[in-house]
């Protein structure tokens, strides 16, 4: 297993391009299954979760071709409708493949999804929307079998009691090729949902209301060949912004829409950072020349503060001045990174969904383990702010979502590198 080695306290300075968004590209890849032809995606990040989704599509019968950030998916022929367990258990977002298979083939199956272990992560809402659309669902020994009911996939009025991102995607993918109109009330409003709908409309789907709580999908008979550029990853940009605020410096990030990060940027400003944004050019500049102040953060569905940035911001607050509070309202067990931060000198007290973070300066380097994808990136941010050497193991988690965190941060002047298994 490779490790990341960091010598901290070097301010971050310079500019970087932000990779394409993981949480946008994965459902788009699944959505490509809906079209009997070729779909081209651009600005596709080179990350483990994309490789996993590519493996799933190839297993199902698609032909994929990748050149740099460009991925062509030919879904003319689908041969399988059962997603093997090892793919599904590796990555939670693979569950939306079921909705796409249902829409295209009338059936699909797979085991319960995996991904980072952050809370219970049930799938009852996914099942609710599929059943609402007329699908029949059987559950046997941890496997879900989904198939068209006697009336096929029909339009429906779906009501989500919580704006689940995954369940909203599931509803969209299952209904794009249905016979009539589907309305999703209480839909998620995340930028990744808007992008998925834009992507599908570009393929010939008819979806409106994206970005609001009410999505309307008018079923169509078929889609056409298309190409689409994936937006920059707001979580990667937010991680680097938190790291820059923690260690100080002046960082310009390109290829990321500032409006996607409205709440995290507002909080960074409150912590003392200077933020300059250019929406049309897709640029965010974060400058920090003082010790960050404490914050109160509460995670929630977009446009609230994203749960995926909770750990990176906890790392920032661990190195800030004063006592901060974090309330995690999306996933109940998402404080696993606190233990490793405490090993670096942080003072964090957890009580249920709340964390109290007492800033300590400086954090000190230590050997720590990544607990999950965003938690691993948070330890990188903490290591940059800490004095001395930090070594982070179990970095495979980080590679699920960050193309090359060491490359990006080295380009900004950080003393950070991968140490491979053979010690090089
Ligand atoms: C979530 C995040 C998303 C992030 C992604 C990757 C939210 C609202 N969603 O999406 O922004 O990009 O993780 O980390 O922040 N739930 C149920 N039943 C279900 C599905 C979900 O009870 O069938 C609950 C979950 O337990 C959780 C909440 O709904 O408490 C949000 O889940 P959901 O948005 O579906 O999660 P993801 O799609 O994984």
């Amino acid at each position: 297993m490779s490790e990341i080695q960091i010598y901290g306290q070097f301010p971050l300075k310079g500019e970087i391009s932000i990779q394409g968004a993981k949480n946008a590209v994965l459902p788009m890849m699944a959505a490509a299954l809906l079209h009997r032809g070729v779909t081209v995606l651009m600005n596709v990040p080179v990350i483990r979760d994309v490789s996993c989704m590519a493996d799933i599509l190839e297993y199902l019968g698609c032909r994929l071709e990748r050149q740099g950030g460009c991925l062509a998916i030919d879904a003319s022929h689908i041969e399988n409708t059962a997603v093997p367990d090892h793919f599904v258990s590796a990555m939670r977002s693979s569950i939306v493949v079921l909705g796409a298979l249902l829409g295209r083939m009338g059936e699909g199956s797979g085991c319960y999804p995996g991904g980072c272990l952050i809370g219970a992560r049930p799938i009852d809402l996914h099942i609710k929307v599929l059943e609402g659309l007329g699908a029949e669902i059987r559950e046997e020994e941890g496997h879900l079998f989904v198939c068209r009911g006697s009336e096929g996939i029909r339009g429906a009025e779906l009501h989500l009691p919580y704006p689940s991102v995954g369940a909203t995607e599931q509803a969209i993918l299952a209904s794009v090729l249905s016979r009539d109109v589907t309305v999703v009330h209480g839909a998620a409003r995340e930028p990744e949902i808007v992008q998925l709908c834009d992507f599908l409309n570009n393929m010939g789907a008819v979806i409106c209301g994206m970005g609001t709580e009410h999505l309307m999908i008018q079923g169509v008979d078929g889609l056409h060949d298309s190409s689409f550029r994936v937006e920059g990853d707001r979580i990667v940009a937010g991680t680097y912004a938190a790291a820059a605020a923690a260690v100080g410096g002046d960082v310009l990030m390109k290829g990321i829409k500032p409006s996607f990060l409205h709440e995290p940027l507002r909080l960074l400003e409150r912590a003392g950072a200077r933020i300059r944004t250019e929406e049309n050019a897709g640029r965010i500049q974060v400058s920090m020349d003082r010790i960050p102040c404490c914050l109160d953060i509460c995670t929630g569905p977009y446009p609230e503060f994203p749960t995926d940035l909770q750990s990176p911001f906890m790392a920032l607050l661990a190195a800030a001045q004063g006592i901060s509070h974090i309330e995690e309202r999306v996933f109940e067990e998402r404080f696993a990174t606190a233990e490793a931060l405490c090993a670096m000198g942080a003072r964090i007290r957890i009580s249920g969904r709340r964390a109290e973070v007492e800033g300590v300066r400086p954090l000190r380097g230590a050997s720590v383990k990544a607990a999950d994808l965003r938690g691993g990136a948070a330890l990188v941010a903490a290591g940059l702010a800490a004095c001395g050497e930090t070594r982070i193991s179990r970095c495979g988690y980080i590679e699920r979502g960050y193309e090359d965190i060491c490359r990006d941060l080295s380009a900004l002047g950080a003393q950070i590198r991968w140490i491979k298994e053979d010690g090089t």
Side-chain angles (χ1 to χ4, degrees), residues 187-201:
R189 295 183 282 159
E190 266 70 359
E192 293 76 25
I193 297 286
V194 177
Q195 285 181 69
L196 176 64
C197 296
D198 287 344
F199 163 77
L200 281 161
N201 283 346

Side-chain angles (χ1 to χ4, degrees), residues 23 92 121-126 162 164-166 307-308 330-331:
N23 293 336
R92 183 179 166 83
R121 305 195 91 167
I123 55 165
D124 54 315
L125 300 176
H126 293 250
Y162 184 90
S164 155
V165 174
T307 176
D308 281 354
V330 181
F331 294 116

